[in-house]
Amino acid sequence: KNEVEQSPQNLTAQEGEFITINCSYSVGISALHWLQQHPGGGIVSLFMLSSGKKKHGRLIATINIQEKHSSLHITASHPRDSAVYICAVYLPQRGGGADGLTFGKGTHLIIQP
Amino acid sequence: DTGVSQDPRHKITKRGQNVTFRCDPISEHNRLYWYRQTLGQGPEFLTYFQNEAQLEKSRLLSDRFSAERPKGSFSTLEIQRTEQGDSAMYLCASSGGINEQFFGPGTRLTVL
């Protein structure tokens, strides 16, 4: 079982729709990232959060530490939002004290005009 | 532009050949990470440096893989005797603070 689960895996929506992508993780974490990856591979960090809610433009990220769950919302979605959205967390140890991220498999979002 | 650069962006090689990738982190970032991403999957942690010290290596990093960061600035990832299963996107990220990471554009490796 993957330690970080995302849903849905694929999402196609019409321009203007409100989008929600969910992320659940199995153990306590220190922080969670939402990342965006466009075709071609480059990853951009959208949010890093450890509690509560953050907003940037049309993007909103929330996290519930007790429920081990985070959501990424996109309001007034646009075709340029089409990308893979990845949830990543810092999990307690793989051993040795490193803090590399553990990633979900990503949600492939397509916004149609 | 995140400031992390990787070279080359694409590499096609034949099975059995050695390849080396380079990552230049954001200057003064003391932490550097390597990840691997196969098609349709999220990235997976490979290894991590704090300054020049390699502090952790994933079990994914077989003995054909070696990473260095000799002066605590740029890093190289070498794969010896490449196999088709090594085909993936190799991502580098750097960090200057707790929990944040800035990603490079990745190097896409294709092993024929």
Side-chain angles (χ1 to χ4, degrees), chain A residues 11-113:
Chain A
L11 177 58
T12 300
Q14 295 298 311
E15 182 173 358
E17 287 190 37
F18 182 81
I19 303 299
T20 295
I21 299 170
N22 296 300
C23 175
S24 297
Y25 48 91
S26 55
V27 296
I29 63 169
S30 58
L32 181 146
H33 281 258
W34 280 104
L35 309 166
Q36 181 190 59
Q37 186 172 34
H38 280 283
I43 289 179
V44 175
S45 180
L46 299 174
F47 295 102
M48 184 182 72
L49 64 166
S50 54
S51 64
K53 176 180 176 179
K54 288 190 176 180
K55 184 176 189 294
H56 185 255
R58 295 181 295 105
L59 301 178
I60 304 167
T62 63
I63 188 168
N64 185 318
I65 296 295
Q66 288 73 30
E67 295 187 2
K68 299 183 175 61
H69 180 269
S70 176
S71 293
L72 176 69
H73 305 285
I74 305 175
T75 62
S77 59
H78 189 276
R80 65 175 174 266
D81 297 326
S82 299
V84 177
Y85 292 84
I86 303 172
C87 169
V89 301
Y90 290 93
L91 293 177
Q93 274 354 340
R94 283 180 283 271
D99 53 359
L101 292 165
T102 298
F103 298 79
K105 292 186 177 182
T107 295
H108 189 193
L109 174 66
I110 298 174
I111 304 297
Q112 295 178 334

Side-chain angles (χ1 to χ4, degrees), chain A residues 37 40-43, chain B residues 5-11 19-23 33-38 43-44 46 60-61 64-65 77-79 82-93 103-111:
Chain A
Q37 186 172 34
I43 289 179
Chain B
S5 62
Q6 292 187 244
D7 182 70
R9 296 289 306 275
H10 303 273
K11 178 70 176 179
V19 294
T20 300
F21 310 141
R22 176 178 171 128
C23 171
Y33 306 81
W34 285 100
Y35 298 94
R36 182 175 70 185
Q37 184 178 26
T38 53
E44 297 172 294
L46 290 179
L60 294 173
L61 214 65
R64 296 184 298 105
F65 287 70
L77 177 67
E78 180 183 15
I79 309 174
T82 52
E83 302 173 356
Q84 287 185 326
D86 297 330
S87 296
M89 175 75 81
Y90 290 85
L91 294 160
C92 175
F103 287 84
T107 294
R108 184 172 296 282
L109 172 66
T110 302
V111 181

